Amino acid sequence: MLAPERQARILRELQLHEAVRVADVAAALKVSEMTIRRDIEMLDANGLARKVHGGAMRLARLSALEPGFQLNADKELEAKLGIAAEALKLIRPGMTLALTGGTTTYQLAVHLSAVLEQFQELTVVTNSLKVAELLYQQQGSSSCTVIVTGGERTPSEALVGPVARRALQNLNTDLCFMGVHGLDAWRGLTSPNLLEAETNAAFVESTGRLVVLADSTKFHVRSLAVIAPLSAVDTVITDDRASAAVREEFASHVPTFTVSPAGAKSATNPTRMSS
């Protein structure tokens, strides 16, 4: 297991509990206690957790916790690959797409970049630095146009704030693929970052169809700021680890609820981010 995967697991435990013990995490992940201590030191240095004797403590409430892009890149990776493969099926030549920031939308960009020449006259609007860089590098002989919103950079490598909102107010997209921190049946789509929530709300207003890409860990999670109600969502794409109860509940709130099958084949090899 790579360091980002271990650190994401520690953060997930801290979302559930106020504190974790080094010995418990090491046993669960089948690694040495020294390895977990180094992971906790890294989280402490990055301001994501507080190192204490024998373990770590949560720094912030669940609703305000925003792990960075690098830390989330390998979290639930197989689920993200399956979700991205399903999302790719919705794209048609000539479309104007919006891709918000996040690691799941990044995996969609990875899939898209592998077959970009099949989608002539495609325009992609994004506030994700990672997505923009990847698609620009993979343009080749395709006629894909990449538009970046501008704005203030977040830990998730997204550009947010007034500049991004103003840019989106003047644009119209056919499809918006959005990654979220949480989905709740009553509070809708949420984010731990206030500016990101406002920017994603602008993405919702500027698109004809909103497609939410969310792995099974995102359901019943309420973050600090509301992006939009579930009534604004046309399609949710998740992985097959979503429980039957979750599927039934959320399928009743959105027109299309798609579950990517186990072992879904990706258009590319799994892409792990490196520093």
Side-chain angles (χ1 to χ4, degrees), residues 7 11 17 20 40 42 49 53 78 87 92 103 112 122 134 178 184-185 206 208 212 228 258 266 269:
Q7 292 165 15
L11 285 176
H17 310 286
V20 296
I40 289 174
M42 182 62 68
H53 180 71
E78 293 304 319
R92 300 290 182 269
T103 55
L112 179 59
L122 199 67
L134 174 66
M178 180 174 291
D184 182 80
S206 66
V212 175
T258 302
S266 63
N269 292 325

Side-chain angles (χ1 to χ4, degrees), residues 74-89:
D74 291 328
K75 184 179 178 182
E76 307 295 336
L77 181 59
E78 293 304 319
K80 292 173 184 176
L81 291 171
I83 291 168
E86 288 294 323
L88 187 66
K89 298 175 184 178

Side-chain angles (χ1 to χ4, degrees), residues 3 7 18 27 33 66 119 136 139 154 168 173 208 217 247 264 269:
Q7 292 165 15
E18 289 289 336
E33 292 187 11
E66 184 185 12
F119 297 99
Y136 183 79
Q139 278 180 325
T154 71
L168 291 166
T173 61
T217 67
R247 298 183 195 190
N269 292 325

Side-chain angles (χ1 to χ4, degrees), residues 110-140:
V110 171
H111 280 64
L112 179 59
S113 68
V115 292
L116 201 53
E117 293 184 0
Q118 298 178 19
F119 297 99
Q120 296 302 312
E121 304 301 328
L122 199 67
T123 300
V124 178
V125 178
T126 186
N127 68 328
S128 167
L129 294 172
K130 295 291 187 180
V131 167
E133 180 182 18
L134 174 66
L135 292 179
Y136 183 79
Q137 290 177 346
Q138 299 299 320
Q139 278 180 325

